[in-house]
Amino acid sequence: MNDYRRMNRLLRNGAVFCALDTETTGLKPAEERIIEIGAVKFDANGIIDTFSTLVNPRVLIPHFCQELTGITNKMVFGQKEFKEIAGEFLEFLGEETIIIAHNAQFDLRFVNAELERMNRPPLPNKAIDTLRFSRWTFPENEHWTLQFLAEQLKIEVKAAHRAADDARVCMEIFKKCIEASADRQKSVISADSAFQ
């Protein structure tokens, strides 16, 4: 979903969103695995529910990933594999929820790769990339990383590079982008009339 001028309309007209973040063993979905999933479901009234779990990747976590995330092999040992938490995660997400993620293709490709290994279809959800949204909202920036934007927008970061907190920060960035682009957001009324 790239019509960023309609984000306020979606939020104000009752859409349910889910800010999603994954931590992984690397950058290649076909070869690497998810080690943590964090998700925050919300609407215009606030947070509806949260989902957070470590995931046993059944492979060793590279040292640089452990350094970045703080997630160690010991922490994921004995945790459930993705195929064991997939049902609960998909039920939490729901098919009508709009996914919000920073560099969304990264997280979606990893989740879909895990689903493909289970011979399940990819996520049907529409998605909004807050990386692209923030570039549209703050074109004067030189950086648009999650942590840079959090500092710029005065969003508290409690645990950087941990999925649950990154998802919460992503949700806050999404809301801040809507506020900051208010002059370019189509009003709820005009947006509604455009769809009639």
Side-chain angles (χ1 to χ4, degrees):
M1 299 179 69
N2 296 321
D3 188 351
Y4 301 123
R5 294 177 302 163
R6 290 196 173 123
M7 296 299 104
N8 187 53
R9 173 190 179 271
L10 285 172
L11 185 64
R12 299 303 166 198
N13 282 13
V16 176
F17 301 89
C18 185
L20 171 67
D21 187 75
T22 60
E23 302 300 333
T24 68
T25 59
L27 302 176
K28 300 177 181 178
E31 302 171 15
E32 313 289 357
R33 297 293 187 271
I34 291 173
I35 56 175
E36 188 175 40
I37 298 175
V40 182
K41 188 182 291 187
F42 68 99
D43 61 14
N45 296 316
I47 294 175
I48 299 170
D49 201 0
T50 60
F51 181 93
S52 178
T53 185
L54 289 167
V55 180
N56 187 341
R58 302 292 291 180
V59 296
L60 291 176
I61 303 172
H63 181 71
F64 77 92
C65 291
Q66 295 186 57
E67 288 288 313
L68 178 67
T69 65
I71 300 172
T72 65
N73 290 304
K74 184 177 181 180
M75 289 169 65
V76 298
F77 181 79
Q79 298 289 336
K80 293 179 179 179
E81 296 177 45
F82 183 88
K83 63 184 179 183
E84 297 175 283
I85 60 94
E88 182 184 359
F89 171 65
L90 293 175
E91 183 178 350
F92 170 86
L93 185 61
E95 293 187 2
E96 301 301 319
T97 302
I98 300 170
I99 294 172
I100 307 285
H102 207 68
N103 192 15
Q105 285 304 309
F106 178 88
D107 300 288
L108 295 176
R109 285 172 181 158
F110 263 93
V111 172
N112 287 333
E114 295 281 12
L115 291 171
E116 185 177 358
R117 291 184 191 105
M118 299 170 59
N119 295 314
R120 297 187 68 159
L123 294 174
N125 307 69
K126 294 178 180 178
I128 297 168
D129 187 347
T130 52
L131 176 58
R132 292 184 178 182
F133 190 14
S134 64
R135 284 175 173 162
W136 180 80
T137 306
F138 306 108
E140 70 282 359
N141 276 19
E142 295 183 2
H143 305 285
W144 296 270
T145 65
L146 197 74
Q147 305 310 321
F148 180 89
L149 289 166
E151 183 175 354
Q152 177 185 8
L153 301 172
K154 305 295 190 290
I155 298 169
E156 182 184 7
V157 175
K158 299 177 182 177
H161 302 294
R162 291 301 302 267
D165 199 52
D166 281 357
R168 178 190 58 80
V169 171
C170 180
M171 172 190 70
E172 297 294 347
I173 287 173
F174 174 69
K175 292 179 179 179
K176 293 284 189 181
C177 282
I178 291 176
E179 292 174 12
S181 62
D183 59 332
R184 288 189 284 169
Q185 287 289 325
K186 290 184 177 180
S187 71
V188 174
I189 295 174
S190 64
D192 282 344
S193 62
F195 281 85
Q196 291 175 355

